[in-house]
Amino acid sequence: MNRITQKLQEDKKILSIYFSAGYPNLNDTVQIIQDLEKNGVDLIEIGLPFSDPLADGPTIQASSTQALHNGMTTQILFDQLKNIRESVKIPLIIMGYFNPMLQYGVEAFCQKCAEIGIDGLIIPDLPVDVYADEYKAIFEKYGLINVFLITPQTSDERIRFIDSVSNGFIYMVSSASVTGSQSGFGGVQESYFERIANLNLKNPQIVGFGISNKETFNQATKYAKGAIIGSAFIKHLSEKGSGKIEEFVGEIR
């Protein structure tokens, strides 16, 4: 069974952390992953830096740009992660844009992920229809879960189609803004979370965008299985370096 599926079956709220591979320094990637697991994080999204990150706000864009300046590439990330399963047991997802995967070769990329022990991918700019028609069989061949995003503007019909194609969790974007651009949730988001919960989808939902502390984590997980923190964690890395991860996670849980 895929590690993501196993983790989602646990009777707990999932804390997922996103960071850009190769940030703050090129070779920090593995240590950050190990420290996040050691401090009780349930799932990790490893950002594959890209020069045109459409959905990302300024904080993640800056970290992605710095990682590229540091020399991060798809191949270097794979090289860094080649022995990751000797020390890390929790689910690992690579989150990135489709262009670098296409350049690498979609099947070659998926095969490499499977060899390393990556459990899934999040590709914000790969439409679910294209995935279902052209790539689903490849992902399934290598045991990879592909995670799709929904927003408050996504129709119920579209959400049900995404749910039918998915076999892990649905990434529930909390608002139509980019990452890191809001703090806290109001009535509009609350009603959105409730609307999705009432659809009774087969895949659990994990909320992303706007979660930065214990309060917003608890708000986001009132209706959902878990929540993702990205920009707030990257800010923490920027201000305190990669040696204070215990402090950050401790403030969420």
Side-chain angles (χ1 to χ4, degrees), residues 69-198:
H69 287 162
N70 290 345
M72 179 54 71
T73 64
T74 302
Q75 190 57 54
I76 286 173
L77 177 58
F78 284 148
D79 291 343
Q80 288 180 348
L81 297 177
K82 65 182 178 183
N83 299 316
I84 195 68
R85 286 303 174 192
E86 293 175 10
S87 59
V88 172
K89 306 297 179 222
I90 62 172
L92 299 175
I93 293 175
I94 288 180
M95 183 170 185
Y97 294 89
F98 195 48
N99 189 280
M101 300 175 194
L102 206 54
Q103 287 185 334
Y104 197 89
V106 175
E107 180 150 9
F109 190 95
C110 290
Q111 183 175 4
K112 199 70 182 169
C113 286
E115 285 173 9
I116 289 166
I118 298 298
D119 304 291
L121 297 171
I122 302 172
I123 312 166
D125 60 342
L126 176 60
V128 62
D129 320 68
V130 176
Y131 167 77
D133 291 343
E134 298 182 30
Y135 300 111
K136 189 170 187 281
I138 297 173
F139 278 61
E140 289 177 348
K141 176 181 176 181
Y142 294 103
L144 294 169
I145 284 174
N146 196 21
V147 177
F148 293 99
L149 283 69
I150 63 171
T151 75
Q153 284 70 42
T154 310
S155 69
D156 289 2
E157 182 185 15
R158 184 78 171 169
I159 290 168
R160 291 197 186 282
F161 176 62
I162 287 169
D163 189 45
S164 72
V165 172
S166 301
N167 61 343
F169 66 89
I170 291 172
Y171 189 129
M172 188 160 66
V173 177
S174 65
S175 72
S177 60
V178 294
T179 56
S181 61
Q182 64 184 59
S183 56
F185 299 116
V188 173
Q189 274 106 2
E190 283 265 340
S191 61
Y192 161 57
F193 296 159
E194 193 170 2
R195 172 171 76 89
I196 303 304
N198 289 335

Side-chain angles (χ1 to χ4, degrees), residues 28-60:
D28 285 342
T29 311
V30 170
Q31 188 65 55
I32 288 173
I33 293 169
Q34 291 170 338
D35 287 350
L36 285 170
E37 179 180 50
K38 187 171 69 179
N39 287 290
V41 169
D42 300 299
L43 193 154
I44 299 171
E45 296 171 19
I46 305 159
L48 178 60
F50 182 54
S51 57
D52 189 21
L54 301 172
D56 297 321
T59 301
I60 293 178

